[in-house]
Amino acid sequence: MDSWAEMEEEILRELNLGRMKEDAEVFSRLERYSGSEAGEAAVDYLVQELKAAGIGYERHYYELMRSLPVQASVRVKKPGELDFTVEAIAAVYSGEAHGLEGELVWDWMCDKGPLTGVEQEKRFSAFKGKIVLTYDISFPFYYEAARAGALGIIAIWPKDIHHHDTMGGVWGMPGSRDRDLYPYLPYVQILGQDGLKLIGMTGNTAGSTDENTAGNTAVTVQMDVAMDNRIVRSSMPVATIPGKSESFVLLSGHYDSWYEGMTDNGAANVLMLETARALKKFQEKLNRTVVVAWWSGHSDGRYSGSTWFCDHHYEYLRKHCVAHINMDICGCMGSNAVRFDMTGMEGEAFNDEFLAPYNSRKPLPYRALDRSSDQTFWGAMTPVSIAPQFYMDDGTTPQPGKTGDILRPAAMPAAFGVGGPFYWWHTKEDTLDKIGDDVLARDCEIAARLVLRYAMETPLPIDMEGFMDEMQAYFDAFGRELDPDFDVAPVQAAIARTQEAVKKLSDAVRAYPQQDADAILIRTAGELVRLKYTYSSPYGHDYAVEHEPYAVFSSLLGVHRDNTPEDRYLMSQTDFIRQRNRMTGQLHEVCEAIELQMYRWQVQ
């Protein structure tokens, strides 16, 4: 073959929709909870198919703290009215409750939008000894409510279909210092219509920004929650298709599910298998190795599987992983558009060029990755991470574009969850009939093309200069908007020096052998990505809480002495100075690594 473009055409012809549908049929008969009999049967099937295709693999066994809800209900009592029961579902890592009774308090500030530190303090002061009714389904809220002395949480899921959620704040398996991040406060979700009824019974209305007006309309509720919280043993298959170098592309997705879980994540599982089958036939042509991993412990263990793999294969990932393609929620019938969540190191030009064939209109700008979906490998300094997002475009609704405000990007169209058309995510309705054949074929093609791009192209196709320009834009914005107590000038100076070094590396890297280039790009581009998306040690994992890029700096927007409790403001100053030192220190190390590599190349 004259080019890897021709090889791509051959591989795409190898992808077999009929075979994927057969695989999906098998998965639809298995409710794949981590460590369960059906979960292990799914691994058995994947291993069987890998063997049949002649693909080498390892089946990794590990232990995790799995959490599954068993039963939940809410009994409502109000003087002068008949008692009634509200159907409920408990969250992963909820605590148990047996006849837990308390006064219901409406969290009226949950609809207010971003709150200052002083407002948050007032909000939580009303929760002590109460059962809290809220729309806030975030872990930080759950954790702070527990610290404030709440007896339990009743969260409202706005749709009228029961949806599973998690209240785990630890990413993966906890260490001994993480014990306090499991409050085990009883937590349930109820349906939207039931939530509105309970809000009304407290004498309030949803969306009101007035203080709680319960007065003489106090409501008592009784919570009953049964959980299956225990340590289980689970396995994960990890396939390897060796290329010409040890550098590798990781294609991954979780196989554990809620119920059948066919778009989340059975469709991804079968398209990953099909991609592996096709790539195996062209193994001798691959410039880099391809690793395909099916994780457990995603939904019922807060990303325990991918985290275990990262912890136990850290050096391998740190030295050799050039890209991670994560497939999560795929094959959704009706999807006709695709966008990317990615690190930004991949380049805006790549985003537009790659996605053009899959969209009837101009592709949406990339969105920075969020803290979800087994995005576990930022600390291991992986330069490229792409999470394709599949949605519906009606062709007429105005599309969000790239805003001039880097700190406030335009909201992307919803696909699943509260506002999206693929409402069945994490519910009993995520069944085989929710997969569209044409969509499954498209999503498999996208996965295969992404993997092949990073397995073949040399030098590694990244845009370090564009990434540094974006970093400069972030910190220029922080400089304008943060309180003067949070001075980012030293970071801005370090960025300017790093921009010069990165330009030299970008010019030089094309002229040197792939293996040398891969190593220095992982060391430098991977470190720049780590600085953007993490805030702690490269050997640990940040909390399982959504945050913006450059998280600590972003979290300080709007924080001032006059709107923040005195002790919290002091803590914020401490957080800031440590992160500023981290940024300047690590950018200096990136410059030193580039200088050393340039010297090595010059004396060769």
Side-chain angles (χ1 to χ4, degrees):
M1 295 181 184
D2 297 330
S3 70
W4 71 266
E6 294 180 29
M7 177 180 166
E8 179 182 79
E9 292 178 6
E10 292 285 340
I11 286 175
L12 295 184
R13 282 195 287 270
E14 286 290 331
L15 301 175
N16 187 319
L17 176 60
R19 193 161 49 197
M20 284 193 282
K21 291 172 68 175
E22 291 174 3
D23 296 335
E25 180 69 36
V26 173
F27 269 62
S28 73
R29 297 193 294 269
L30 300 169
E31 296 190 352
R32 305 175 301 281
Y33 301 104
S34 302
S36 69
E37 184 177 344
E40 293 305 301
V43 178
D44 291 341
Y45 180 78
L46 290 168
V47 164
Q48 166 194 305
E49 293 301 308
L50 292 171
K51 285 181 179 177
I55 300 171
Y57 70 92
E58 287 187 73
R59 185 170 185 167
H60 297 279
Y61 288 88
Y62 75 109
E63 291 183 319
L64 71 148
M65 288 175 56
R66 189 193 69 185
S67 178
L68 291 172
V70 176
Q71 181 275 333
S73 66
V74 175
R75 187 75 175 165
V76 183
K77 306 175 182 180
K78 184 176 181 180
E81 297 186 19
L82 292 175
D83 295 357
F84 64 95
T85 299
V86 174
E87 193 177 346
I89 192 168
V92 169
Y93 296 122
S94 168
E96 292 201 317
H98 305 285
L100 175 66
E101 194 166 291
E103 181 184 345
L104 186 68
V105 60
W106 163 235
D107 174 26
W108 63 276
M109 297 183 83
C110 69
D111 281 341
K112 247 191 115 178
L115 302 175
T116 67
V118 169
E119 288 172 326
Q120 290 281 25
E121 195 170 68
K122 178 180 179 181
R123 176 191 191 185
F124 289 106
S125 67
F127 294 171
K128 187 173 183 179
K130 305 290 177 62
I131 294 176
V132 183
L133 179 66
T134 185
Y135 279 109
D136 195 332
I137 59 174
S138 69
F139 175 79
F141 170 79
Y142 173 70
Y143 180 75
E144 291 297 332
R147 290 184 72 248
L151 297 179
I153 304 290
I154 300 174
I156 305 166
W157 180 250
K159 295 282 188 177
D160 285 320
I161 180 172
H162 281 299
H163 165 91
H164 285 278
D165 214 332
T166 180
M167 285 299 119
V170 176
W171 191 277
M173 268 298 294
S176 57
R177 296 181 181 180
D178 298 323
R179 293 178 63 188
D180 290 343
L181 291 172
Y182 291 89
Y184 290 116
L185 182 70
Y187 177 104
V188 300
Q189 282 188 2
I190 61 175
L191 300 179
Q193 58 190 3
D194 293 328
L196 291 173
K197 182 176 182 178
L198 292 188
I199 294 171
M201 289 181 69
T202 65
N204 294 276
T205 57
S208 170
T209 56
D210 297 326
E211 285 204 47
N212 218 316
T213 57
N216 296 325
T217 60
V219 177
T220 300
V221 295
Q222 176 182 304
M223 294 180 69
D224 286 278
V225 181
M227 297 293 298
D228 180 6
N229 292 333
R230 58 192 169 101
I231 295 174
V232 299
R233 188 169 186 256
S234 176
S235 69
M236 304 180 294
V238 178
T240 301
I241 304 168
K244 296 174 185 175
S245 80
E246 289 184 280
S247 297
F248 71 91
V249 180
L250 173 63
L251 172 63
S252 87
H254 68 92
Y255 74 81
D256 63 302
S257 67
W258 290 110
Y259 314 106
E260 286 184 39
M262 289 312 298
T263 63
D264 185 18
N265 202 31
N269 298 157
V270 302
L271 71 81
M272 289 161 56
L273 178 59
E274 188 62 19
T275 299
R277 289 170 176 142
L279 290 173
K280 173 62 179 176
K281 295 184 178 181
F282 296 86
Q283 177 179 328
E284 72 283 355
K285 301 285 186 180
L286 295 174
N287 288 330
R288 298 182 181 91
T289 293
V290 175
V291 175
V292 185
W294 291 263
W295 314 123
S296 60
H298 168 99
S299 292
D300 52 23
R302 206 56 163 153
Y303 317 116
S304 288
S306 58
T307 306
W308 179 92
F309 186 84
C310 184
D311 291 345
H312 287 79
H313 299 83
Y314 181 83
E315 283 302 310
Y316 176 56
L317 289 156
R318 168 68 185 82
K319 290 180 179 178
H320 302 300
C321 187
V322 298
H324 175 213
I325 312 302
N326 181 253
M327 304 301 291
D328 197 350
I329 308 186
C330 304
C332 297
M333 64 175 185
S335 170
N336 64 352
V338 187
R339 63 173 186 80
F340 283 156
D341 288 357
M342 57 187 192
T343 66
M345 189 62 75
E346 303 80 4
E348 289 186 20
F350 156 72
N351 180 84
D352 294 347
E353 178 184 350
F354 188 98
L355 289 174
Y358 304 106
N359 292 276
S360 61
R361 296 194 280 178
K362 178 179 171 60
L364 296 178
Y366 97 91
R367 187 185 73 165
L369 291 161
D370 61 15
R371 190 79 174 127
S372 63
S373 299
D374 289 294
Q375 292 298 334
T376 298
F377 306 100
W378 301 336
M381 303 178 196
T382 303
V384 170
S385 290
I386 302 175
Q389 304 295 314
F390 309 105
Y391 66 102
M392 292 177 68
D393 178 13
D394 62 13
T396 58
T397 302
Q399 290 186 280
K402 186 175 180 181
T403 71
D405 186 350
I406 197 166
L407 300 180
R408 298 167 188 85
M412 292 292 110
F416 51 89
V418 175
F422 311 136
Y423 65 88
W424 50 78
W425 165 67
H426 283 202
T427 77
K428 289 183 177 180
E429 295 190 22
D430 190 5
T431 46
L432 184 60
D433 62 329
K434 300 303 189 298
I435 295 179
D437 290 355
D438 57 333
V439 183
L440 180 60
R442 178 203 66 184
D443 296 354
C444 186
E445 177 182 303
I446 288 171
R449 288 188 61 214
L450 285 172
V451 170
L452 193 61
R453 170 183 171 85
Y454 293 103
M456 293 301 296
E457 195 157 325
T458 57
L460 186 69
I462 59 175
D463 182 9
M464 289 183 72
E465 291 180 78
F467 189 92
M468 289 305 305
D469 289 345
E470 183 195 66
M471 183 186 290
Q472 179 187 3
Y474 268 106
F475 279 86
D476 286 350
F478 290 142
R480 292 190 300 270
E481 295 202 26
L482 288 175
D483 189 279
D485 283 345
F486 307 123
D487 180 14
V488 297
V491 181
Q492 292 171 303
I495 289 171
R497 291 191 295 271
T498 309
Q499 285 174 310
E500 294 178 8
V502 161
K503 187 176 189 316
K504 293 177 183 177
L505 178 63
S506 298
D507 291 341
V509 76
R510 297 173 182 84
Y512 293 94
Q514 173 202 319
Q515 194 59 44
D516 282 355
D518 281 358
I520 187 58
L521 291 177
I522 290 172
R523 172 67 186 85
T524 55
E527 175 66 354
L528 294 173
V529 167
R530 187 179 79 85
L531 290 175
K532 179 178 179 180
Y533 287 100
T534 77
Y535 49 84
S536 58
S537 162
Y539 303 103
H541 301 274
D542 294 337
Y543 298 139
V545 175
E546 289 188 19
H547 58 247
E548 299 299 320
Y550 307 104
V552 170
F553 300 96
S554 294
S555 72
L556 296 173
L557 293 166
V559 173
H560 305 282
R561 284 186 184 274
D562 61 1
N563 68 7
T564 307
E566 186 178 24
D567 59 340
R568 294 203 175 193
Y569 195 76
L570 179 60
M571 294 173 193
S572 295
Q573 290 179 299
T574 302
D575 291 339
F576 170 79
I577 196 64
R578 290 174 180 171
Q579 284 296 311
R580 192 178 75 177
N581 291 343
R582 174 180 182 260
M583 286 292 300
T584 56
Q586 294 309 114
L587 288 174
H588 178 70
E589 289 196 10
V590 167
C591 292
E592 285 190 331
I594 291 173
E595 289 178 16
L596 180 58
Q597 185 63 60
M598 298 288 286
Y599 174 76
R600 287 172 176 163
W601 278 337
Q602 289 166 6
V603 300
Q604 282 178 349

